[in-house]
Amino acid sequence: MPITSRILEVAAADPDQLAIVGGHSGSPAPDERADPAADTRAPRSLTYAQLVRDSTTMFAAVDALHHAQSDSPIPAPETHGIPITAVSLTSAFETSRIIAGLAGFRAVSATIDPRWPLSHQVGVITTTGIGLVISDSTHLAEALAAAGWTGTVITAADFRAREAAIDPADTAPPTVREPDEPFLMLFSSGTTSNPKAFIKTRQQYRDNVVVSSAHLEPFPGVATLAPGPVSYSLTLYAVIESLATGGSVHVADDFDPFTMGSRITDEAITRVVAVPAVVKALAEAARRTPENFHGLDLVVTGGANLPASIRSALADVLPDTRLISYYGAAEIGFIGDSREGDGTWISIYDTIGVEVRDDSDARLPDGEIGTVWIKAAACSDGYVTGTTGAQLRRPDGWATVGDQGRIESGLLQLAGRAGDIAITGGHKVSLPEIERAFEGFDRGDRHSGQGRLGEVCAIALPDDGLGSLVALVIEPDSAGHGSEGGTPDSGTPDKAALLDHARAKLAPQFVPRRFYVLDRLPRTVGGKIRRHDTVDLVMSGKAQRL
């Protein structure tokens, strides 16, 4: 269902139904202006009727800002000449209302994570031809000016003031747009490498909504809580999906376990869409105040191979709450999901084509690891010119983002990205599979009083004889207060215990040959462990070998 079509439909039939609901957010970022008008910490909400009404003055303000430029940046050719407006704010509510408000007009929108390295932010803005950036960051504005960018940066407060100054009588209403019109510019990364941009047309998002509606239950009238930055594709899609199906999306800048339970109760939330780390925190919060979470029916999380410990923790405290872990890629769309265990085996949706191929593009037999290729109607046509030379989609419609995996009995098991596969002694070894094996150790397998593990990262180190050598890098359970090259915690399990565990859980070629300890594993701003940076730390001698 097209997002604007459904927004207009609900606004006419039930104008007071909530569309977007914001909660109390944290303190403004240190980089943001200390302007009381820019304080987004107060709770706020928009009904469907208010969303439609406010969208008219919002687009008028955006359009005027673009046209006021004497030397406008040229938008990437993939936008078909439509100016690009980017939002780079810490406020999830403000970001959501702008993205949703511009959906019914000739506009291409983008969300840029303000926590990205400044060079990444400047790079994507200048390379893709973004013409307007709504941001409270003075550092970003100064860096763009220094780079010679000719677009406009405006703060959230100033943008709202411009909206308020426009007479609604001088504006045009939102309309349902043509299917092939560019809608959103998204980014595949932005934390460890230069971001790759890609465009989603309105039809591609409509096709994606068809798939998620059939499997992930964003039903009309459902109140969905989607905590986290809207620059995350998972959160952004939850906003779009909820509005496209006539639901209410409740956003939060981050997950606050002290307030989220009361929000679930007070706002009658029955569905949560969140990253696995938030699901883990939700289970912990529910253990403290289970009465606040009893109305929660469904939790949807992205990312394959969901740790079984997260699923069991949620089931222990909220046995009536279902958990779906889906697999998808922002460039391609939803592909399949898992509803039990550790999410290792994924059921592929019936409208999605999946094949596993080798480097020569030959289709591999069941059980062999190779590159996962997907055929889906929602797939983007390709990456935006200038942001990468990588190919996404071939002329025959098959696409890949480099995920590795295997198919058995019609189910898909992911083995990570290309960099997550080690070739050791002629064997293909999935590094994420090794990490999953040590999850059981982390859950209390203390081996004669030895301490428990924190996070772990499997890596491949160069080796003249084997090609590469598999090692496991451990973050002690009490890590987080020292430097990356700290000494092992006294409670860290010894090498013999780790080897015994690995040999009991893994095939011989998967068993790590070395073990190291880092006080803290390197992570992205989103909390994911950076495997390549972990290798660099080990190779530079900053980790201690057991």
Side-chain angles (χ1 to χ4, degrees):
M1 174 63 67
I3 177 174
T4 304
S5 175
R6 179 52 64 89
I7 288 173
L8 294 173
E9 176 186 311
V10 177
D14 189 4
D16 294 330
Q17 179 180 326
L18 289 171
I20 305 172
V21 182
H24 287 283
S25 62
S27 301
D31 186 39
E32 295 175 352
R33 296 183 178 182
D35 181 350
D39 186 354
T40 58
R41 286 175 289 177
R44 54 182 69 179
S45 63
L46 282 174
T47 65
Y48 272 84
Q50 290 170 333
L51 177 59
V52 171
R53 181 199 66 202
D54 291 357
S55 70
T56 62
T57 53
M58 178 190 299
F59 176 72
V62 165
D63 194 46
L65 286 164
H66 280 293
H67 280 95
Q69 298 166 355
S70 58
D71 183 19
S72 301
I74 299 174
E78 290 83 358
T79 68
H80 302 172
I82 301 174
I84 309 169
T85 300
V87 185
S88 183
L89 298 170
T90 57
S91 168
F93 177 82
E94 198 70 8
T95 304
S96 298
R97 82 168 189 94
I98 294 171
I99 297 298
L102 294 178
F105 299 89
R106 185 178 181 271
V108 172
S109 303
T111 58
I112 295 176
D113 193 335
R115 301 177 303 169
W116 278 359
L118 189 59
S119 61
H120 284 12
Q121 298 180 54
V122 173
V124 297
I125 291 169
T126 56
T127 302
T128 62
I130 291 171
L132 173 63
V133 179
I134 302 171
S135 170
D136 292 326
S137 170
T138 54
H139 294 324
L140 178 58
E142 291 166 355
L144 286 169
W149 180 68
T150 58
T152 302
V153 177
I154 187 170
T155 67
D158 289 345
F159 182 67
R160 275 189 171 272
R162 283 181 174 266
E163 292 178 84
I166 295 173
D167 186 346
D170 297 331
T171 64
T175 59
V176 177
R177 312 299 301 177
E178 290 298 315
D180 61 349
E181 186 176 271
F183 175 33
L184 291 176
M185 177 181 286
L186 305 176
F187 304 97
S188 62
S189 66
T191 52
T192 60
S193 61
N194 291 328
K196 299 190 291 288
F198 55 96
I199 293 290
K200 284 290 187 184
T201 66
R202 295 174 184 276
Q203 186 59 50
Q204 287 163 354
Y205 246 117
R206 292 167 189 171
D207 290 332
N208 217 18
V209 170
V210 169
V211 176
S212 69
S213 298
H215 301 281
L216 304 180
E217 305 181 21
F219 298 141
V222 165
T224 295
L225 173 64
V230 183
S231 54
Y232 288 2
S233 59
L234 176 144
T235 312
L236 174 61
Y237 186 75
V239 173
I240 300 295
E241 169 190 66
S242 295
L243 298 176
T245 54
S248 302
V249 61
H250 299 241
V251 296
D253 300 348
D254 50 30
F255 183 85
D256 180 359
F258 298 104
T259 62
M260 215 53 67
S262 59
R263 281 197 72 183
I264 288 173
T265 298
D266 297 342
E267 299 169 25
I269 290 165
T270 59
R271 181 174 178 264
V272 169
V273 177
V275 296
V278 168
V279 177
K280 180 179 179 181
L282 185 150
E284 293 169 354
R287 191 172 301 279
R288 291 192 294 269
T289 57
E291 64 277 6
N292 288 338
F293 295 84
H294 284 163
L296 187 58
D297 174 57
L298 176 65
V299 174
V300 177
T301 188
N305 301 332
L306 179 77
S309 60
I310 294 180
R311 186 179 296 277
S312 61
L314 187 70
D316 286 346
V317 68
L318 297 175
D320 297 325
T321 300
R322 296 171 294 134
L323 176 60
I324 299 175
S325 172
Y326 72 78
Y327 165 53
E331 298 97 317
I332 296 174
F334 294 102
I335 298 166
D337 68 47
S338 176
R339 306 188 180 212
E340 60 184 12
D342 61 2
T344 300
W345 293 101
I346 299 160
S347 297
I348 302 165
Y349 296 144
D350 53 10
T351 57
I352 307 299
V354 177
E355 292 183 356
V356 175
R357 303 175 186 172
D358 63 16
D359 293 340
S360 67
D361 203 35
R363 188 170 179 174
L364 291 171
D366 276 14
E368 290 194 25
I369 293 177
T371 301
V372 179
W373 286 81
I374 310 294
K375 198 167 193 177
C379 183
S380 295
D381 295 329
Y383 292 112
V384 171
T385 304
T387 63
T388 181
Q391 182 187 38
L392 171 63
R393 183 175 180 173
R394 301 193 312 193
D396 62 4
W398 287 93
T400 185
V401 292
D403 284 342
Q404 303 292 294
R406 60 168 71 90
I407 291 177
E408 288 188 12
S409 303
L411 299 176
L412 173 66
Q413 183 184 54
L414 291 182
R417 291 288 173 99
D420 296 331
I421 303 297
I423 308 298
T424 177
H427 298 284
K428 282 186 177 181
V429 172
S430 166
L431 300 176
E433 194 168 328
I434 296 172
E435 293 161 357
R436 289 197 300 271
F438 279 87
E439 184 190 340
F441 198 107
D442 184 40
R443 291 172 60 193
D445 189 358
R446 306 289 178 97
H447 289 267
S448 303
Q450 298 293 334
R452 61 181 296 177
L453 302 184
E455 298 285 346
V456 299
C457 179
I459 60 174
L461 300 175
D463 183 83
D464 291 339
L466 297 172
S468 64
L469 178 150
V470 176
L472 189 74
V473 185
I474 299 161
E475 180 181 270
D477 187 46
S478 58
H481 303 290
S483 65
E484 285 183 334
T487 58
D489 181 87
S490 60
T492 301
D494 63 21
K495 182 178 178 180
L498 293 166
L499 273 173
D500 287 347
H501 183 86
R503 288 165 178 162
K505 297 285 186 178
L506 295 165
Q509 66 270 25
F510 281 65
V511 174
R513 291 173 176 261
R514 293 181 190 170
F515 295 87
Y516 296 88
V517 176
L518 277 171
D519 192 51
R520 181 162 177 79
L521 291 164
R523 288 170 168 80
T524 68
V525 294
K528 293 183 179 180
I529 294 171
R530 295 195 293 229
R531 197 181 307 280
H532 290 300
D533 287 358
T534 303
V535 172
D536 290 343
L537 289 171
V538 171
M539 295 295 290
S540 64
K542 294 181 179 178
Q544 180 155 340
R545 184 174 174 180
L546 294 180

